Amino acid sequence: MRRHILLTAVALTGINPVYGATSDNAIRSVPQYILDYAPLVWLHSQETYMPSDIQQQVINTVPKINWTSIEGVQSPLDLNNLDTLNGLGNASVYLTSHDGIEANPQPAWFRGITPDQDGRLGNGTGSAIIIADRGNGTVDAFYFYFYAFNKGDKVLKMEFGDHIGDWEHNMIRFKNGNPTAIWYSQHASGQAFTYHAVEKEGKRPYAFSGNGTHANYATSGQHDHAIPGINLPVGFVMDYTDRGRVWDPTLNAYFYTYDSNTTKFEAVNSKDPVAWLNFNGKWGDDQPPGEPEIFGEAKNVAGPNGPKFKGLGRKLVCPSKPCIVLPFRIWSGNSTE
Ligand SMILES: *[C@@H]1O[C@H](CO)[C@@H](O)[C@H](O)[C@H]1NC(C)=O
Ligand SMILES: *[C@@H]1O[C@H](CO)[C@@H](O)[C@H](O)[C@H]1NC(C)=O
Ligand SMILES: *[C@@H]1O[C@H](CO)[C@@H](O)[C@H](O)[C@H]1NC(C)=O
Ligand SMILES: *[C@@H]1O[C@H](CO)[C@@H](O)[C@H](O)[C@H]1NC(C)=O
Ligand SMILES: *[C@@H]1O[C@H](CO)[C@@H](O)[C@H](O)[C@H]1NC(C)=O
Ligand SMILES: *[C@@H]1O[C@H](CO)[C@@H](O)[C@H](O)[C@H]1NC(C)=O
């Protein structure tokens, strides 16, 4: 794989994906260490639901509230005006798929874009890199990963937690340009490690993405996770990770800064769309009406909200307390490798 040389190649030549944003300008003005230490994502070898173009989600959906289309939506709706939906229903707006979560066969866009051998997402932009300067030499870089579809885990042969739209992230905390710690989002929470503790390729930490759920782990293997709030008689749900296929989220990304004092986003270059980051609604269908629930959990659940709801103003490496930054990584799962 030629991933190392690629960053340089991108910086020099730029690429012009239709929805893409990795322009010369962006790469040159993002601090080099944000790229040098960016995570590489290992997608599972049997992953079906690949990273996806963010703008495509808007194209493949229509905003609805309680399954009813909204009046007065701008046309076309895109990443440059998505926040206008805040005035038309705010957090109760769901970008609702034309196809429905139970579409059979599933539409191709649920499956996203398979990264090529260099880890590039073709012409799609599936990541947003948000840089939050905390002052005094501390910078938090959030690497957000977008997937059009989340396939839930199976418990007792029943499937729970499918949803349309899936936002995951790593956050790396830098002190004076040096990485100190890294956060891995997993379902409603996640894990933090020292930068030193995690496996890397050169300087770049690995994030192992759970098959279907895209929860991020520091190790390859099987991961037991308890879903907060779930109370099953057999209390385990499994995520599986392995070294299937590498996705390099920096190759086609939008780059932003975030000021936690003002909660304002700005594009690092002048081209990347900003409005979508202020959208307060959800990135997929609402939970279908009458969806049967077992122990309070359903097969199909509502889509998530976006990056601004993932603790961008956090003081600790984790979005909430308790926050244990592990100096080793054995604890994160039973490695099979
Ligand atoms: C991974 O997910 C795919 C599609 O959802 C499924 O067919 C496959 O069995 C899963 N593999 C593992 C190891 O869970
Ligand atoms: C949603 O729509 C259904 C059916 O039209 C209606 O019965 C229900 O009250 C609505 N819910 C809300 C929260 O508006
Ligand atoms: C809109 O939604 C956001 C996010 O949930 C919330 O913080 C805000 O108070 C809401 N605004 C209004 C006017 O309801
Ligand atoms: C992106 O590339 C795919 C595969 O080559 C192609 O089918 C699709 O039309 C392209 N999308 C755009 C918007 O150009
Ligand atoms: C700023 O950083 C310096 C050196 O790392 C440290 O000694 C100082 O306490 C920090 N000040 C604040 C306000 O955090
Ligand atoms: C946010 O406000 C604090 C306190 O006023 C200040 O020290 C800090 O520099 C500000 N941060 C940014 C990014 O402007």
Side-chain angles (χ1 to χ4, degrees):
M1 300 207 188
R2 294 173 288 122
R3 288 192 299 278
H4 291 303
I5 47 170
L6 258 159
L7 265 186
T8 324
V10 167
L12 293 177
T13 60
I15 52 158
N16 257 330
V18 171
Y19 305 116
T22 317
S23 68
D24 291 3
N25 192 6
I27 292 288
R28 290 208 185 106
S29 35
V30 168
Q32 188 60 38
Y33 63 84
I34 305 266
L35 301 171
D36 288 348
Y37 294 98
L40 287 165
V41 180
W42 278 109
L43 300 165
H44 193 272
S45 52
Q46 291 166 16
E47 182 59 77
T48 308
Y49 304 99
M50 296 292 173
S52 309
D53 183 78
I54 302 166
Q55 164 75 31
Q56 278 294 337
Q57 199 79 356
V58 179
I59 291 174
N60 289 311
T61 58
V62 60
K64 292 191 179 178
I65 298 174
N66 195 21
W67 301 96
T68 306
S69 297
I70 308 168
E71 302 279 319
V73 173
Q74 292 203 13
S75 179
L77 193 63
D78 60 28
L79 298 181
N80 285 306
N81 62 16
L82 199 64
D83 63 341
T84 55
L85 296 173
N86 293 351
L88 302 173
N90 202 32
S92 42
V93 176
Y94 288 81
L95 299 182
T96 305
S97 65
H98 300 299
D99 304 275
I101 194 167
E102 288 283 10
N104 188 6
Q106 289 187 329
W109 66 271
F110 280 14
R111 290 159 195 256
I113 304 169
T114 303
D116 66 18
Q117 82 240 24
D118 297 320
R120 181 190 297 278
L121 214 59
N123 55 5
T125 301
S127 56
I129 298 173
I130 300 176
I131 305 161
D133 189 344
R134 310 297 191 196
N136 206 25
T138 300
V139 171
D140 287 349
F142 292 84
Y143 303 87
F144 277 97
Y145 315 133
F146 183 67
Y147 302 83
F149 190 85
N150 177 102
K151 186 89 174 157
D153 284 320
K154 284 195 172 137
V155 180
L156 306 174
K157 296 192 177 156
M158 294 177 290
E159 195 173 300
F160 293 95
D162 288 2
H163 51 90
I164 297 180
D166 189 20
W167 283 104
E168 300 286 344
H169 72 281
N170 283 121
M171 189 279 277
I172 301 183
R173 176 157 291 178
F174 294 91
K175 186 78 190 167
N176 301 321
N178 298 308
T180 59
I182 177 167
W183 169 255
Y184 289 79
S185 74
Q186 301 159 356
H187 305 275
S189 185
Q191 287 181 300
F193 297 89
T194 61
Y195 171 76
H196 180 75
V198 299
E199 188 183 343
K200 302 173 218 24
E201 182 173 309
K203 294 174 174 175
R204 302 185 64 179
Y206 283 149
F208 294 89
S209 175
N211 187 37
T213 72
H214 314 121
N216 293 303
Y217 294 91
T219 54
S220 172
Q222 291 183 167
H223 308 273
D224 249 335
H225 70 84
I227 300 177
I230 195 171
N231 212 354
L232 292 164
V234 179
F236 69 90
V237 188
M238 286 293 205
D239 271 330
Y240 298 89
T241 62
D242 71 11
R243 293 165 208 268
R245 175 187 293 277
V246 167
W247 174 32
D248 184 343
T250 64
L251 296 180
N252 302 42
Y254 297 127
F255 292 91
Y256 303 98
T257 57
Y258 176 76
D259 181 335
S260 30
N261 289 348
T262 61
T263 70
K264 222 181 143 207
F265 295 98
E266 277 180 51
V268 171
N269 67 15
S270 53
K271 283 187 275 182
D272 290 353
V274 177
W276 67 275
L277 288 163
N278 295 312
F279 170 54
N280 286 331
K282 317 293 196 300
W283 285 81
D285 294 17
D286 197 353
Q287 181 164 322
E291 181 76 9
E293 294 192 1
I294 301 165
F295 312 115
E297 298 292 317
K299 175 175 183 290
N300 297 316
V301 300
N305 48 24
K308 74 181 266 197
F309 297 92
K310 310 297 178 190
L312 298 182
R314 68 184 70 172
K315 297 268 188 301
L316 303 170
V317 177
C318 322
S320 59
K321 287 182 180 176
C323 187
I324 301 162
V325 180
L326 293 168
F328 51 83
R329 64 173 186 269
I330 325 162
W331 197 61
S332 83
N334 310 315
S335 185
T336 52
E337 295 182 344

